[in-house]
Amino acid sequence: SSLLGFVLLLVCVLGVCAALYLKVMAVLIHVIDAFTNRPFSGNPAGVCVLPAPAPDDWMQQVAREMNLSETAFLHPMTGGFALRWFTPGVEVDLCGHATLASAFALWETGAASRSKELVFLTRSGPLRCRCCDGWVEMDFPAKPCDPVVPPEGLARALGCELRYSGSNGMDYLVEVEGESILRRLRPDFSALSQMPIRGVIVTDSSDKPEFDFVSRFFAPAVGVNEDPVTGSAHCALAPHWMAKLGRAEMTGFQCSARGGLVKVRVCGERVMLYGQAVLMSRVELVCGL
């Protein structure tokens, strides 16, 4: 009992020290373009590696200050790294590009070895990342969509006819008639923000032979009108296009203004996502906590 008391006291002391350290330290945030091998493309994410947990309101304020689609906050813990994602408006349950950016940041800074698997402990369960010949492999849960009647006003908000509509409880997934229509979409973001769901994935087969499908992702309800490249959306896109094309391995291109490449491989109830990344900048927050 005395040993247990000492251990608990030590944990408390370390927690207090970490909190005091965070209050005076300059916090470093890495800005990384994910799902691309070229600067100024893909999806930029902020990655903030901390020695200990930070207050929720502080993380939300930092994400709002960074004003990126997601800022990731992580700290070491038993079994891996705790990882949370914040948009400028809310915390989200799953984010692919900021997970990719987090793995890339840990490897680039030497905080983790490229030769070993990374485990991120998240609100969506453990997510595993590996370095594979210059690509980041991410093991994510599959999020297949079931066909649904689209909610009233969805087609009007998107500004096009819908060939198919489905939902996985997190997002709507809709197909449109042609890549050119998908690329020209100019949605009514105010109307889309009223939909009772995180976002809308719009997709179609690709006109280019190097890609199997194309997509765009709109999520104004969580503060992101259009996400440049969305890893979590491919957890729905991968099983959807596997059923249509009869292949488990495919290449998707998210044709936002920045654009980004996501390779996918469906493995039962999991989807392997593959992407590259580029370190763009480091931001020092001198305010600390």
Side-chain angles (χ1 to χ4, degrees):
S1 59
S2 59
L3 178 60
L4 178 59
F6 174 76
V7 170
L8 291 175
L9 177 62
L10 180 61
V11 169
C12 291
V13 169
L14 290 175
V16 170
C17 290
L20 291 173
Y21 174 64
L22 284 172
K23 287 183 180 296
V24 299
M25 71 178 287
V27 176
L28 195 63
I29 298 178
H30 296 79
V31 179
I32 293 166
D33 286 349
F35 290 117
T36 184
N37 61 0
R38 298 183 296 109
F40 307 110
S41 59
N43 199 352
V47 178
C48 183
V49 183
L50 299 166
D56 290 5
D57 60 344
W58 180 84
M59 291 189 286
Q60 186 63 75
Q61 289 173 343
V62 171
R64 189 176 301 117
E65 184 77 14
M66 294 299 294
N67 200 31
L68 299 168
S69 58
E70 262 91 13
T71 300
F73 298 86
L74 57 157
H75 64 84
M77 63 180 300
T78 303
F81 288 84
L83 173 60
R84 296 170 70 179
W85 312 277
F86 289 80
T87 76
V90 298
E91 183 176 7
V92 296
D93 291 334
L94 186 65
C95 178
H97 85 279
T99 302
L100 188 158
S102 296
F104 186 80
L106 290 172
W107 292 330
E108 283 290 298
T109 59
S113 170
R114 295 178 188 269
S115 63
K116 295 182 180 180
E117 180 181 78
L118 278 171
V119 180
F120 293 115
L121 306 173
T122 78
R123 298 207 310 196
S124 292
L127 303 177
R128 303 176 187 278
C129 293
R130 290 172 285 273
C131 185
C132 300
D133 298 323
W135 291 72
V136 180
E137 178 193 75
M138 299 185 292
D139 182 348
F140 270 45
K143 297 286 186 180
C145 292
D146 295 320
V148 296
V149 176
E152 184 179 356
L154 179 58
R156 184 170 60 254
L158 289 172
C160 65
E161 295 184 2
L162 309 182
R163 184 171 61 195
Y164 164 88
S165 62
S167 174
N168 57 12
M170 182 169 68
D171 300 315
Y172 288 120
L173 186 151
V174 301
E175 278 190 45
V176 296
E177 294 282 354
E179 181 176 334
S180 61
I181 291 176
L182 185 149
R183 288 180 177 270
R184 291 198 305 266
L185 290 179
R186 298 293 182 269
D188 180 342
F189 294 122
S190 178
L192 282 183
S193 70
Q194 304 305 309
M195 299 293 168
I197 206 145
R198 181 187 72 156
V200 180
I201 309 162
V202 185
T203 188
D204 194 23
S205 57
S206 176
D207 293 339
K208 298 181 179 179
E210 61 265 37
F211 308 126
D212 295 296
F213 59 88
V214 291
S215 66
R216 292 174 70 184
F217 183 69
F218 308 110
V222 294
V224 182
N225 283 346
E226 179 168 5
D227 198 33
V229 195
T230 316
S232 59
H234 285 74
C235 295
L237 287 162
H240 177 80
W241 284 105
M242 181 181 73
K244 293 178 71 73
L245 301 177
R247 299 201 309 275
E249 295 187 23
M250 295 161 288
T251 299
F253 182 75
Q254 193 157 329
C255 48
S256 62
R258 292 174 63 96
L261 180 75
V262 185
K263 294 184 178 182
V264 299
R265 178 165 58 91
V266 182
C267 302
E269 296 183 351
R270 308 293 294 182
V271 174
M272 302 297 169
L273 307 176
Y274 298 86
Q276 296 173 295
V278 178
L279 175 63
M280 292 297 296
S281 63
R282 295 183 179 91
V283 178
E284 186 179 64
L285 291 180
V286 296
C287 62
L289 293 182

